[in-house]
Amino acid sequence: MSDDKKQQIVSSVPQTGFIGHPKGLFTLFFTEFWERFSYYGMRAILVYYMYYETSRGGLGIDRNTALAIMSIYGSLVYMSGIIGGWLSDRVFGNSKAVFYGGILIMLGHIVLAIPGNVTLFFISMFLIIIGTGLLKPNVSSMVGEIYRENDHRRDAGFSIFYTGINLGAFLAPLVVGTVGMKISFHFGFALAAIGMFLGLLVYISTRKTNLGLAGTFVVNPLPPDEKKKLMTRFSIAFVILLTILAITIPTGMLTFNVFKGIIGILGILIPTLYFIVMYRSPKTSAVERSRILAYIPLFIASVMFWAIEEQGSTILASFADRRTKLDFAGIHLSPAWFQSLNPLFIIVFAPIFAWLWVRLGNRQPSIPTKFSLGLLFAGLSFLVILLPAFIGGSASLVNPLWLVLSYFLVVIGELCLSPVGLSATTKLAPTAFLAQTMSLWFLSNAGAQAINAQIVKFYREDTEMLYFGVIGVLALVLSGILFLLTPKILGYMKGVR
Ligand code: GLU
Ligand code: ASP
């Protein structure tokens, strides 16, 4: 986007009016708050909805299959960010993409709210995957648009937005989780739909006054003839895909395991192709090439980190349900409530970390070291959760405080890696690819969950210690390697700090 346009956008956004920040941040904050409320609310009960027997209101899917579906689902949600980012960049602009995304997400939750069968569940998954791909990367990009380039409030703006994400993620398991687990899963999903509806309401009713021209420009519009060509190609590809599905599903060629394998391959292949295209592009300068090389180990570390973090809503959710003493201190805990711990710790500790980094100034750890710390704590969070089985065996129920400790440790890692990860991606990606930065960053999470889908089958109560142990130690080893490579990576970063 030209500097002129950027200027025009910023001038159209009231620059104060929301806790000392541009008014537009209010709109983006609450839109994303409600979107995450619906997403994490749905995920807090979905896993149980899938594997609980039909007599308990569930779908009665085998538990390990349910855990794999959760991971495939999560992976596709972040993979589709590429499509959402591209559509916004070349066809709709951010603002429309967010709106369409919100509508699809709401419809997805409404479909889940209808008591039904596995078919409805898959339709809902499709809607939410495409909807989140349209909404999530684009709402985040708009946060960047409402500040002047050198506005000192910009970083704080992103932190406030990040708090909004986690506030939604914190409240959702308590509200959607409680209703979903205690009354009916479908009432829970209906609440998730209402959450997204409220998000859309905030967005539609305040975007004109608060966001001005932000999100209304298509940055790199497709020329009309190319649009036509692309539409034809898309339609042909869609028909071919449908034909392949129509042949392979009924004939039993496309089994769940094959599909899972395909997602696993895509999770690794797509980022690899991304790196190759960026590296070989004639628009990429020599310095930028070096920075891409520096980014690769950070990306791999990030995949390992999210693999552990995201198992908080799959493996650890199952652990909360089946291995944890839920009668604690006189109250009966719902297993879904444990999903609130991660975002709660984020909200509490994010300001402390922000303060710490400012306080340390130039003495704060470098980006690679922060990634290495992120992995260290993620690894520890898995090693801690194997201890109760080590001490008391896997037959007796575990004190819930072990889970609290595990979620706490992963959050310490998350605060070292996640906020810095996105900004590192922005700084290290070549300028010609900046529009896709957000999608590139989300690909590390997509890759992580694609891998998770392959490995969750190794988790059983009798293999629990081995499972947590192997993954935990692997994270520590990677953390050590990254730490040793730090000086080299810093060299390749060519001045980026
Ligand atoms: N919990 C984060 C969110 O929902 C994860 C996204 C990421 O991979 O950065 O925004
Ligand atoms: N911490 C996650 C994210 O940053 C939220 C969660 O896992 O509940 O949004």
PDB file of all heavy atoms in Angstrom, residues 275 291-304 367-372 375 417 421 424-425 428 441 444 482 486 489 493:
ATOM      1  N   PHE A 275       8.577 -20.962   2.254  1.00  0.00           N
ATOM      2  CA  PHE A 275       9.975 -20.542   2.425  1.00  0.00           C
ATOM      3  C   PHE A 275      10.713 -20.562   1.095  1.00  0.00           C
ATOM      4  O   PHE A 275      11.481 -19.657   0.777  1.00  0.00           O
ATOM      5  CB  PHE A 275      10.689 -21.442   3.449  1.00  0.00           C
ATOM      6  CG  PHE A 275      10.342 -21.078   4.863  1.00  0.00           C
ATOM      7  CD1 PHE A 275       9.637 -21.956   5.681  1.00  0.00           C
ATOM      8  CD2 PHE A 275      10.690 -19.843   5.376  1.00  0.00           C
ATOM      9  CE1 PHE A 275       9.296 -21.607   6.976  1.00  0.00           C
ATOM     10  CE2 PHE A 275      10.362 -19.477   6.675  1.00  0.00           C
ATOM     11  CZ  PHE A 275       9.652 -20.371   7.482  1.00  0.00           C
ATOM     12  N   ARG A 291      17.850 -13.257   6.211  1.00  0.00           N
ATOM     13  CA  ARG A 291      16.867 -13.228   7.308  1.00  0.00           C
ATOM     14  C   ARG A 291      15.905 -14.404   7.235  1.00  0.00           C
ATOM     15  O   ARG A 291      15.461 -14.912   8.265  1.00  0.00           O
ATOM     16  CB  ARG A 291      16.095 -11.903   7.279  1.00  0.00           C
ATOM     17  CG  ARG A 291      16.983 -10.758   7.709  1.00  0.00           C
ATOM     18  CD  ARG A 291      16.217  -9.462   7.795  1.00  0.00           C
ATOM     19  NE  ARG A 291      17.125  -8.410   8.227  1.00  0.00           N
ATOM     20  CZ  ARG A 291      17.047  -7.145   7.842  1.00  0.00           C
ATOM     21  NH1 ARG A 291      16.078  -6.762   7.029  1.00  0.00           N
ATOM     22  NH2 ARG A 291      17.921  -6.269   8.272  1.00  0.00           N
ATOM     23  N   ILE A 292      15.595 -14.842   6.002  1.00  0.00           N
ATOM     24  CA  ILE A 292      14.719 -16.024   5.879  1.00  0.00           C
ATOM     25  C   ILE A 292      15.419 -17.225   6.521  1.00  0.00           C
ATOM     26  O   ILE A 292      14.816 -17.997   7.262  1.00  0.00           O
ATOM     27  CB  ILE A 292      14.391 -16.321   4.399  1.00  0.00           C
ATOM     28  CG1 ILE A 292      13.560 -15.186   3.807  1.00  0.00           C
ATOM     29  CG2 ILE A 292      13.654 -17.649   4.250  1.00  0.00           C
ATOM     30  CD1 ILE A 292      13.305 -15.309   2.322  1.00  0.00           C
ATOM     31  N   LEU A 293      16.735 -17.340   6.254  1.00  0.00           N
ATOM     32  CA  LEU A 293      17.476 -18.468   6.833  1.00  0.00           C
ATOM     33  C   LEU A 293      17.450 -18.395   8.360  1.00  0.00           C
ATOM     34  O   LEU A 293      17.348 -19.417   9.036  1.00  0.00           O
ATOM     35  CB  LEU A 293      18.920 -18.475   6.333  1.00  0.00           C
ATOM     36  CG  LEU A 293      19.082 -18.760   4.826  1.00  0.00           C
ATOM     37  CD1 LEU A 293      20.554 -18.764   4.446  1.00  0.00           C
ATOM     38  CD2 LEU A 293      18.437 -20.106   4.454  1.00  0.00           C
ATOM     39  N   ALA A 294      17.528 -17.172   8.886  1.00  0.00           N
ATOM     40  CA  ALA A 294      17.482 -17.019  10.350  1.00  0.00           C
ATOM     41  C   ALA A 294      16.103 -17.409  10.879  1.00  0.00           C
ATOM     42  O   ALA A 294      15.967 -17.922  11.991  1.00  0.00           O
ATOM     43  CB  ALA A 294      17.783 -15.567  10.726  1.00  0.00           C
ATOM     44  N   TYR A 295      15.076 -17.166  10.067  1.00  0.00           N
ATOM     45  CA  TYR A 295      13.702 -17.398  10.534  1.00  0.00           C
ATOM     46  C   TYR A 295      13.360 -18.888  10.609  1.00  0.00           C
ATOM     47  O   TYR A 295      12.542 -19.297  11.446  1.00  0.00           O
ATOM     48  CB  TYR A 295      12.728 -16.646   9.609  1.00  0.00           C
ATOM     49  CG  TYR A 295      11.293 -16.692  10.083  1.00  0.00           C
ATOM     50  CD1 TYR A 295      10.929 -16.113  11.286  1.00  0.00           C
ATOM     51  CD2 TYR A 295      10.304 -17.330   9.331  1.00  0.00           C
ATOM     52  CE1 TYR A 295       9.623 -16.159  11.738  1.00  0.00           C
ATOM     53  CE2 TYR A 295       8.988 -17.375   9.768  1.00  0.00           C
ATOM     54  CZ  TYR A 295       8.653 -16.794  10.971  1.00  0.00           C
ATOM     55  OH  TYR A 295       7.371 -16.836  11.420  1.00  0.00           O
ATOM     56  N   ILE A 296      14.012 -19.697   9.739  1.00  0.00           N
ATOM     57  CA  ILE A 296      13.634 -21.125   9.679  1.00  0.00           C
ATOM     58  C   ILE A 296      13.751 -21.844  11.040  1.00  0.00           C
ATOM     59  O   ILE A 296      12.784 -22.466  11.480  1.00  0.00           O
ATOM     60  CB  ILE A 296      14.412 -21.856   8.556  1.00  0.00           C
ATOM     61  CG1 ILE A 296      13.943 -21.291   7.207  1.00  0.00           C
ATOM     62  CG2 ILE A 296      14.201 -23.366   8.606  1.00  0.00           C
ATOM     63  CD1 ILE A 296      14.752 -21.771   6.015  1.00  0.00           C
ATOM     64  N   PRO A 297      14.922 -21.746  11.734  1.00  0.00           N
ATOM     65  CA  PRO A 297      14.960 -22.434  13.050  1.00  0.00           C
ATOM     66  C   PRO A 297      13.934 -21.886  14.041  1.00  0.00           C
ATOM     67  O   PRO A 297      13.396 -22.634  14.859  1.00  0.00           O
ATOM     68  CB  PRO A 297      16.388 -22.192  13.553  1.00  0.00           C
ATOM     69  CG  PRO A 297      16.968 -21.158  12.667  1.00  0.00           C
ATOM     70  CD  PRO A 297      16.214 -21.150  11.384  1.00  0.00           C
ATOM     71  N   LEU A 298      13.644 -20.575  13.932  1.00  0.00           N
ATOM     72  CA  LEU A 298      12.647 -20.004  14.845  1.00  0.00           C
ATOM     73  C   LEU A 298      11.273 -20.589  14.537  1.00  0.00           C
ATOM     74  O   LEU A 298      10.483 -20.891  15.438  1.00  0.00           O
ATOM     75  CB  LEU A 298      12.598 -18.475  14.695  1.00  0.00           C
ATOM     76  CG  LEU A 298      13.892 -17.731  15.008  1.00  0.00           C
ATOM     77  CD1 LEU A 298      13.692 -16.235  14.852  1.00  0.00           C
ATOM     78  CD2 LEU A 298      14.363 -18.049  16.418  1.00  0.00           C
ATOM     79  N   PHE A 299      11.008 -20.766  13.266  1.00  0.00           N
ATOM     80  CA  PHE A 299       9.716 -21.323  12.843  1.00  0.00           C
ATOM     81  C   PHE A 299       9.577 -22.764  13.358  1.00  0.00           C
ATOM     82  O   PHE A 299       8.534 -23.157  13.885  1.00  0.00           O
ATOM     83  CB  PHE A 299       9.615 -21.268  11.313  1.00  0.00           C
ATOM     84  CG  PHE A 299       8.270 -21.658  10.783  1.00  0.00           C
ATOM     85  CD1 PHE A 299       7.261 -20.713  10.657  1.00  0.00           C
ATOM     86  CD2 PHE A 299       7.997 -22.976  10.420  1.00  0.00           C
ATOM     87  CE1 PHE A 299       6.005 -21.071  10.168  1.00  0.00           C
ATOM     88  CE2 PHE A 299       6.748 -23.342   9.935  1.00  0.00           C
ATOM     89  CZ  PHE A 299       5.750 -22.381   9.809  1.00  0.00           C
ATOM     90  N   ILE A 300      10.674 -23.531  13.225  1.00  0.00           N
ATOM     91  CA  ILE A 300      10.627 -24.926  13.691  1.00  0.00           C
ATOM     92  C   ILE A 300      10.374 -24.967  15.208  1.00  0.00           C
ATOM     93  O   ILE A 300       9.565 -25.757  15.703  1.00  0.00           O
ATOM     94  CB  ILE A 300      11.938 -25.664  13.327  1.00  0.00           C
ATOM     95  CG1 ILE A 300      12.042 -25.757  11.799  1.00  0.00           C
ATOM     96  CG2 ILE A 300      11.999 -27.051  13.962  1.00  0.00           C
ATOM     97  CD1 ILE A 300      13.370 -26.283  11.285  1.00  0.00           C
ATOM     98  N   ALA A 301      11.055 -24.073  15.925  1.00  0.00           N
ATOM     99  CA  ALA A 301      10.854 -24.019  17.380  1.00  0.00           C
ATOM    100  C   ALA A 301       9.402 -23.680  17.689  1.00  0.00           C
ATOM    101  O   ALA A 301       8.784 -24.251  18.603  1.00  0.00           O
ATOM    102  CB  ALA A 301      11.770 -22.961  17.989  1.00  0.00           C
ATOM    103  N   SER A 302       8.870 -22.773  16.892  1.00  0.00           N
ATOM    104  CA  SER A 302       7.495 -22.354  17.122  1.00  0.00           C
ATOM    105  C   SER A 302       6.519 -23.516  16.889  1.00  0.00           C
ATOM    106  O   SER A 302       5.552 -23.681  17.643  1.00  0.00           O
ATOM    107  CB  SER A 302       7.248 -21.170  16.191  1.00  0.00           C
ATOM    108  OG  SER A 302       5.931 -20.878  16.112  1.00  0.00           O
ATOM    109  N   VAL A 303       6.802 -24.330  15.869  1.00  0.00           N
ATOM    110  CA  VAL A 303       5.956 -25.508  15.612  1.00  0.00           C
ATOM    111  C   VAL A 303       5.973 -26.428  16.844  1.00  0.00           C
ATOM    112  O   VAL A 303       4.932 -26.873  17.324  1.00  0.00           O
ATOM    113  CB  VAL A 303       6.436 -26.278  14.353  1.00  0.00           C
ATOM    114  CG1 VAL A 303       5.714 -27.612  14.235  1.00  0.00           C
ATOM    115  CG2 VAL A 303       6.224 -25.436  13.093  1.00  0.00           C
ATOM    116  N   MET A 304       7.170 -26.665  17.367  1.00  0.00           N
ATOM    117  CA  MET A 304       7.288 -27.548  18.537  1.00  0.00           C
ATOM    118  C   MET A 304       6.543 -26.936  19.732  1.00  0.00           C
ATOM    119  O   MET A 304       5.849 -27.635  20.474  1.00  0.00           O
ATOM    120  CB  MET A 304       8.778 -27.725  18.878  1.00  0.00           C
ATOM    121  CG  MET A 304       9.060 -28.605  20.070  1.00  0.00           C
ATOM    122  SD  MET A 304       8.974 -30.351  19.684  1.00  0.00           S
ATOM    123  CE  MET A 304       7.996 -30.999  21.021  1.00  0.00           C
ATOM    124  N   ILE A 367      15.780 -12.410  20.364  1.00  0.00           N
ATOM    125  CA  ILE A 367      14.614 -13.172  19.865  1.00  0.00           C
ATOM    126  C   ILE A 367      14.854 -14.692  19.911  1.00  0.00           C
ATOM    127  O   ILE A 367      14.037 -15.429  20.469  1.00  0.00           O
ATOM    128  CB  ILE A 367      14.227 -12.690  18.448  1.00  0.00           C
ATOM    129  CG1 ILE A 367      13.709 -11.242  18.517  1.00  0.00           C
ATOM    130  CG2 ILE A 367      13.172 -13.590  17.825  1.00  0.00           C
ATOM    131  CD1 ILE A 367      13.421 -10.607  17.169  1.00  0.00           C
ATOM    132  N   PRO A 368      16.001 -15.189  19.366  1.00  0.00           N
ATOM    133  CA  PRO A 368      16.189 -16.656  19.422  1.00  0.00           C
ATOM    134  C   PRO A 368      16.223 -17.193  20.852  1.00  0.00           C
ATOM    135  O   PRO A 368      15.717 -18.285  21.123  1.00  0.00           O
ATOM    136  CB  PRO A 368      17.537 -16.887  18.732  1.00  0.00           C
ATOM    137  CG  PRO A 368      17.795 -15.647  17.956  1.00  0.00           C
ATOM    138  CD  PRO A 368      17.071 -14.524  18.618  1.00  0.00           C
ATOM    139  N   THR A 369      16.812 -16.412  21.766  1.00  0.00           N
ATOM    140  CA  THR A 369      16.859 -16.893  23.159  1.00  0.00           C
ATOM    141  C   THR A 369      15.455 -16.959  23.744  1.00  0.00           C
ATOM    142  O   THR A 369      15.123 -17.891  24.487  1.00  0.00           O
ATOM    143  CB  THR A 369      17.754 -15.980  24.031  1.00  0.00           C
ATOM    144  OG1 THR A 369      18.979 -15.810  23.348  1.00  0.00           O
ATOM    145  CG2 THR A 369      17.997 -16.561  25.390  1.00  0.00           C
ATOM    146  N   LYS A 370      14.624 -15.973  23.396  1.00  0.00           N
ATOM    147  CA  LYS A 370      13.242 -16.017  23.904  1.00  0.00           C
ATOM    148  C   LYS A 370      12.517 -17.250  23.353  1.00  0.00           C
ATOM    149  O   LYS A 370      11.749 -17.899  24.066  1.00  0.00           O
ATOM    150  CB  LYS A 370      12.492 -14.744  23.500  1.00  0.00           C
ATOM    151  CG  LYS A 370      12.849 -13.535  24.346  1.00  0.00           C
ATOM    152  CD  LYS A 370      11.998 -12.348  23.956  1.00  0.00           C
ATOM    153  CE  LYS A 370      12.386 -11.115  24.760  1.00  0.00           C
ATOM    154  NZ  LYS A 370      11.880  -9.876  24.172  1.00  0.00           N
ATOM    155  N   PHE A 371      12.765 -17.574  22.102  1.00  0.00           N
ATOM    156  CA  PHE A 371      12.145 -18.780  21.531  1.00  0.00           C
ATOM    157  C   PHE A 371      12.639 -20.013  22.273  1.00  0.00           C
ATOM    158  O   PHE A 371      11.879 -20.941  22.541  1.00  0.00           O
ATOM    159  CB  PHE A 371      12.480 -18.895  20.034  1.00  0.00           C
ATOM    160  CG  PHE A 371      11.498 -18.195  19.138  1.00  0.00           C
ATOM    161  CD1 PHE A 371      11.352 -16.815  19.178  1.00  0.00           C
ATOM    162  CD2 PHE A 371      10.711 -18.914  18.246  1.00  0.00           C
ATOM    163  CE1 PHE A 371      10.448 -16.165  18.358  1.00  0.00           C
ATOM    164  CE2 PHE A 371       9.796 -18.277  17.422  1.00  0.00           C
ATOM    165  CZ  PHE A 371       9.670 -16.897  17.469  1.00  0.00           C
ATOM    166  N   SER A 372      13.933 -20.014  22.571  1.00  0.00           N
ATOM    167  CA  SER A 372      14.507 -21.164  23.270  1.00  0.00           C
ATOM    168  C   SER A 372      13.884 -21.295  24.664  1.00  0.00           C
ATOM    169  O   SER A 372      13.560 -22.405  25.128  1.00  0.00           O
ATOM    170  CB  SER A 372      16.022 -20.967  23.312  1.00  0.00           C
ATOM    171  OG  SER A 372      16.584 -21.712  24.317  1.00  0.00           O
ATOM    172  N   LEU A 375      10.436 -22.815  24.421  1.00  0.00           N
ATOM    173  CA  LEU A 375      10.461 -24.278  24.292  1.00  0.00           C
ATOM    174  C   LEU A 375      10.821 -24.952  25.598  1.00  0.00           C
ATOM    175  O   LEU A 375      10.291 -26.022  25.931  1.00  0.00           O
ATOM    176  CB  LEU A 375      11.515 -24.665  23.255  1.00  0.00           C
ATOM    177  CG  LEU A 375      11.026 -24.824  21.836  1.00  0.00           C
ATOM    178  CD1 LEU A 375      12.157 -25.286  20.951  1.00  0.00           C
ATOM    179  CD2 LEU A 375       9.899 -25.864  21.811  1.00  0.00           C
ATOM    180  N   LEU A 417       7.485 -16.556  23.815  1.00  0.00           N
ATOM    181  CA  LEU A 417       7.532 -16.841  22.379  1.00  0.00           C
ATOM    182  C   LEU A 417       6.441 -16.177  21.559  1.00  0.00           C
ATOM    183  O   LEU A 417       6.709 -15.610  20.491  1.00  0.00           O
ATOM    184  CB  LEU A 417       7.489 -18.365  22.217  1.00  0.00           C
ATOM    185  CG  LEU A 417       7.584 -18.944  20.810  1.00  0.00           C
ATOM    186  CD1 LEU A 417       8.386 -20.233  20.817  1.00  0.00           C
ATOM    187  CD2 LEU A 417       6.217 -19.210  20.195  1.00  0.00           C
ATOM    188  N   GLY A 421       6.884 -13.654  18.552  1.00  0.00           N
ATOM    189  CA  GLY A 421       6.880 -14.446  17.321  1.00  0.00           C
ATOM    190  C   GLY A 421       6.306 -13.701  16.141  1.00  0.00           C
ATOM    191  O   GLY A 421       6.884 -13.670  15.059  1.00  0.00           O
ATOM    192  N   ALA A 424       8.582 -10.887  15.192  1.00  0.00           N
ATOM    193  CA  ALA A 424       9.791 -11.418  14.529  1.00  0.00           C
ATOM    194  C   ALA A 424       9.465 -11.790  13.082  1.00  0.00           C
ATOM    195  O   ALA A 424      10.261 -11.554  12.172  1.00  0.00           O
ATOM    196  CB  ALA A 424      10.306 -12.634  15.285  1.00  0.00           C
ATOM    197  N   THR A 425       8.276 -12.357  12.870  1.00  0.00           N
ATOM    198  CA  THR A 425       7.885 -12.720  11.507  1.00  0.00           C
ATOM    199  C   THR A 425       7.823 -11.458  10.645  1.00  0.00           C
ATOM    200  O   THR A 425       8.312 -11.440   9.517  1.00  0.00           O
ATOM    201  CB  THR A 425       6.498 -13.405  11.508  1.00  0.00           C
ATOM    202  OG1 THR A 425       6.479 -14.365  12.563  1.00  0.00           O
ATOM    203  CG2 THR A 425       6.208 -14.103  10.205  1.00  0.00           C
ATOM    204  N   LEU A 428      11.397 -10.298   9.911  1.00  0.00           N
ATOM    205  CA  LEU A 428      12.304 -11.178   9.154  1.00  0.00           C
ATOM    206  C   LEU A 428      11.765 -11.563   7.776  1.00  0.00           C
ATOM    207  O   LEU A 428      12.513 -12.015   6.922  1.00  0.00           O
ATOM    208  CB  LEU A 428      12.614 -12.445   9.966  1.00  0.00           C
ATOM    209  CG  LEU A 428      13.416 -12.197  11.253  1.00  0.00           C
ATOM    210  CD1 LEU A 428      13.529 -13.477  12.077  1.00  0.00           C
ATOM    211  CD2 LEU A 428      14.813 -11.693  10.927  1.00  0.00           C
ATOM    212  N   TRP A 441       2.843 -16.718  10.059  1.00  0.00           N
ATOM    213  CA  TRP A 441       2.996 -17.002  11.492  1.00  0.00           C
ATOM    214  C   TRP A 441       1.992 -18.077  11.937  1.00  0.00           C
ATOM    215  O   TRP A 441       2.328 -19.008  12.657  1.00  0.00           O
ATOM    216  CB  TRP A 441       2.837 -15.715  12.301  1.00  0.00           C
ATOM    217  CG  TRP A 441       2.743 -15.944  13.788  1.00  0.00           C
ATOM    218  CD1 TRP A 441       1.695 -15.664  14.592  1.00  0.00           C
ATOM    219  CD2 TRP A 441       3.747 -16.518  14.634  1.00  0.00           C
ATOM    220  NE1 TRP A 441       1.979 -16.024  15.892  1.00  0.00           N
ATOM    221  CE2 TRP A 441       3.223 -16.555  15.948  1.00  0.00           C
ATOM    222  CE3 TRP A 441       5.038 -17.022  14.419  1.00  0.00           C
ATOM    223  CZ2 TRP A 441       3.937 -17.057  17.034  1.00  0.00           C
ATOM    224  CZ3 TRP A 441       5.743 -17.533  15.510  1.00  0.00           C
ATOM    225  CH2 TRP A 441       5.196 -17.541  16.786  1.00  0.00           C
ATOM    226  N   SER A 444       2.762 -21.843  11.591  1.00  0.00           N
ATOM    227  CA  SER A 444       3.529 -22.631  12.566  1.00  0.00           C
ATOM    228  C   SER A 444       2.552 -23.372  13.483  1.00  0.00           C
ATOM    229  O   SER A 444       2.782 -24.528  13.846  1.00  0.00           O
ATOM    230  CB  SER A 444       4.504 -21.752  13.356  1.00  0.00           C
ATOM    231  OG  SER A 444       3.818 -20.794  14.119  1.00  0.00           O
ATOM    232  N   LEU A 482      18.624 -24.674  19.967  1.00  0.00           N
ATOM    233  CA  LEU A 482      18.333 -23.300  19.558  1.00  0.00           C
ATOM    234  C   LEU A 482      19.201 -22.319  20.350  1.00  0.00           C
ATOM    235  O   LEU A 482      19.723 -21.343  19.804  1.00  0.00           O
ATOM    236  CB  LEU A 482      16.843 -23.002  19.792  1.00  0.00           C
ATOM    237  CG  LEU A 482      16.321 -21.743  19.142  1.00  0.00           C
ATOM    238  CD1 LEU A 482      16.449 -21.813  17.633  1.00  0.00           C
ATOM    239  CD2 LEU A 482      14.852 -21.508  19.513  1.00  0.00           C
ATOM    240  N   THR A 486      22.001 -19.636  18.838  1.00  0.00           N
ATOM    241  CA  THR A 486      21.602 -18.223  18.906  1.00  0.00           C
ATOM    242  C   THR A 486      22.597 -17.248  18.247  1.00  0.00           C
ATOM    243  O   THR A 486      22.194 -16.435  17.418  1.00  0.00           O
ATOM    244  CB  THR A 486      21.303 -17.816  20.366  1.00  0.00           C
ATOM    245  OG1 THR A 486      20.154 -18.544  20.768  1.00  0.00           O
ATOM    246  CG2 THR A 486      21.005 -16.331  20.498  1.00  0.00           C
ATOM    247  N   ILE A 489      22.285 -17.528  14.512  1.00  0.00           N
ATOM    248  CA  ILE A 489      21.016 -17.000  14.004  1.00  0.00           C
ATOM    249  C   ILE A 489      21.050 -15.468  14.021  1.00  0.00           C
ATOM    250  O   ILE A 489      20.646 -14.809  13.065  1.00  0.00           O
ATOM    251  CB  ILE A 489      19.833 -17.521  14.858  1.00  0.00           C
ATOM    252  CG1 ILE A 489      19.736 -19.038  14.735  1.00  0.00           C
ATOM    253  CG2 ILE A 489      18.513 -16.890  14.421  1.00  0.00           C
ATOM    254  CD1 ILE A 489      18.718 -19.686  15.656  1.00  0.00           C
ATOM    255  N   MET A 493      20.416 -12.704  11.069  1.00  0.00           N
ATOM    256  CA  MET A 493      19.297 -11.759  11.160  1.00  0.00           C
ATOM    257  C   MET A 493      19.671 -10.368  10.653  1.00  0.00           C
ATOM    258  O   MET A 493      18.795  -9.509  10.470  1.00  0.00           O
ATOM    259  CB  MET A 493      18.761 -11.696  12.605  1.00  0.00           C
ATOM    260  CG  MET A 493      17.849 -12.877  12.919  1.00  0.00           C
ATOM    261  SD  MET A 493      17.480 -13.166  14.663  1.00  0.00           S
ATOM    262  CE  MET A 493      16.725 -11.678  15.157  1.00  0.00           C
TER     263      MET A 493
END
